[in-house]
Amino acid sequence: MPSRRERANAIRALSMDAVQKANSGHPGAPMGMADIAEVLWRDYLQHNPVNPEWANRDRFVLSNGHGSMLIYSLLHLTGYDLGIEDLKNFRQMNSRTPGHPEYGYTAGVETTTGPLGQGLANAVGMALAEKVLAAQFNRDGHDIVDHYTYVFLGDGCMMEGISHEVCALAGTQRLNKLIAFYDDNGISIDGEVHGWFTDDTPKRFEAYGWQVIRNVDGHDADEIKTAIETARKSDVPTLICCKTVIGFGSPNKSGKEECHGAPLGNDEIVATRAALGWNHGPFEVPADIYAEWDAKAAGAQREAAWNEKFAAYAAAYPELAAEFQRRIKGQLPADFVAKAEAYIAEVAAKGETIASRKASQNTLNAFGPLLPEFLGGSADLAGSNLTLWKGCKGVDPEDAAGNYMYYGVREFGMSAIMNGVALHGGFIPYGATFLVFMEYACNAVRMAALMKQRVLFVYTHDSIGLGEDGPTHQPIEQLASLRMTPNLDTWRPADAVESAVAWKSAIQRNDGPSALIFSRQNLPHQARDAAQLADVARGGYVLKDCAGEPELILIATGSEVGLAVQAFDKLTEQGHKVRVVSMPSTSVFDQQDAGYKQSVLPVQVGARIAIEAAHADYWYKYVGLEGRVIGMTTFGESAPAAALFEHFGFTVDNVLEVAAELLDA
């Protein structure tokens, strides 16, 4: 029978061979962590390679995602749908083994990792989801949600600030089924880390409320097993600090930065094979080692045993079982759409003039009772973001059966945790902060879009209308950044009706995230007929129109739609033929068919003005180089909102002046 070291060496050989063939990659981490991976995956990991989506599987996250050949080797060896040709195709076009693990490309990859620290944050989200889901669904004698989240991470993840945000929260929430393995090899790209990373990491995590297991020999299976056993008995999350040698087995490059992010080289690979006693050719693994790694039969048995438990649960609690299955599949309640549309009709009939952040909260009060899968939150701004609704119950370390997270001042951590919650399944996460602080979380928003996850990012205080807090809090360029992010739908509604439609659209969307942008100040209700009401969901529509073809089109979003309507009235009085287009979501509008877009923005009408209290440059794609944009090209100022709008030209008089210049040109 092959020894543990021989089984681990299969990971090392496959990793160095794939990196060498690609002439690109990071062999050091897979070779250094192979022994840890062998113990975890063969002795503890609860998974089924034949069904990577099994609901009660353990989650494994490789946060140091540059070491991607580690997870690809593990998936291949244990029997996932990842053949040897896939490993040979590492880092190539259309490969199922991209340079960093990417969700959706490879069966068994739970999240996209690479931006350091975010995999760890996703793992915190997965562990949080497991704990909340278990509290909501488990009953005495029926633990249908019962799995661990394991995460590998390196020095880079520890140095990134997001590790502090999420690990502090994980300790507060006592996420005891989160077990992190710290690859403490002392090496990063620039060399030995003691020159720039001298934190007492164990003390740091102990201060967070974690159990810390120190000085584990990452190449000693018995020490690794003992550490895992200790971690699994803990009532708090555990950090296992593993002392490893990067590039283990390489005679001339192990322990050095040379093997971190570059192939070993053919000569060094020959020497490494000899040092490891691996007497097999490139990409060759003996049948007896494959047999020892194969987890398909054991995985099928684990899932079958769980299926029996779930059948007993379903017999005892049929409604809960059906609800669990619905939520895990990501399906909305059967009556959600009809009830949401009825609510939108009520809002339209009521015609309130309120801030869109308040309209958002009203919508949450209507939609929240329909969606037990909601897991909301805010980065210490619930009273300003208005994300709390009447049925909210905080998630507590002693009682996790809530539906609202108090994330504290952790915008980046909150956003990446929400990504992990969404990836775990069973929830629709939403979380809020001020729009300007989206910048702190930008890369997590990008990752949600890259992974096409249903995550709802709520941003309030959306413009210079914030007022006296000044330019540090007044967003200018953030809307353009969000709108230019692929796969992300960004909504900036003009009133309570558009706010409700934005929420409904974001909830219904199951192929990507949405950003919902709401105002601090009150926004006037806009009257709409039934056709216009239906067209709000198309991202852009004609709100006010003239008879026949317009000579001028005003395009606006959010708080500036009301200004456009006021200008429309004045221009109409002057005898001009004008159209107002409200465009709450440019990305959704851009997805409409050419005929619809032509009906809203006819190409023959070149006189166009876009009006938005955000960066002007984005809007030239809709008004053309000959059009005009009334927008921001500088940062804001500290003053009352009304004074700011006048100072920066968001007035009826300025719109009329710009319109006159354009029409007379």
Side-chain angles (χ1 to χ4, degrees), residues 190-213:
D190 282 349
E192 296 181 7
V193 301
H194 62 73
W196 48 87
F197 184 48
T198 58
D199 304 13
D200 190 329
T201 299
K203 283 185 179 179
R204 174 184 155 201
F205 274 74
E206 286 170 348
Y208 294 153
W210 287 53
Q211 171 181 241
V212 177
I213 304 174

Side-chain angles (χ1 to χ4, degrees), residues 572-585:
T572 301
E573 288 175 9
Q574 294 174 6
H576 294 293
K577 300 177 71 174
V578 182
R579 169 177 294 180
V580 174
V581 171
S582 177
M583 195 174 290
S585 178

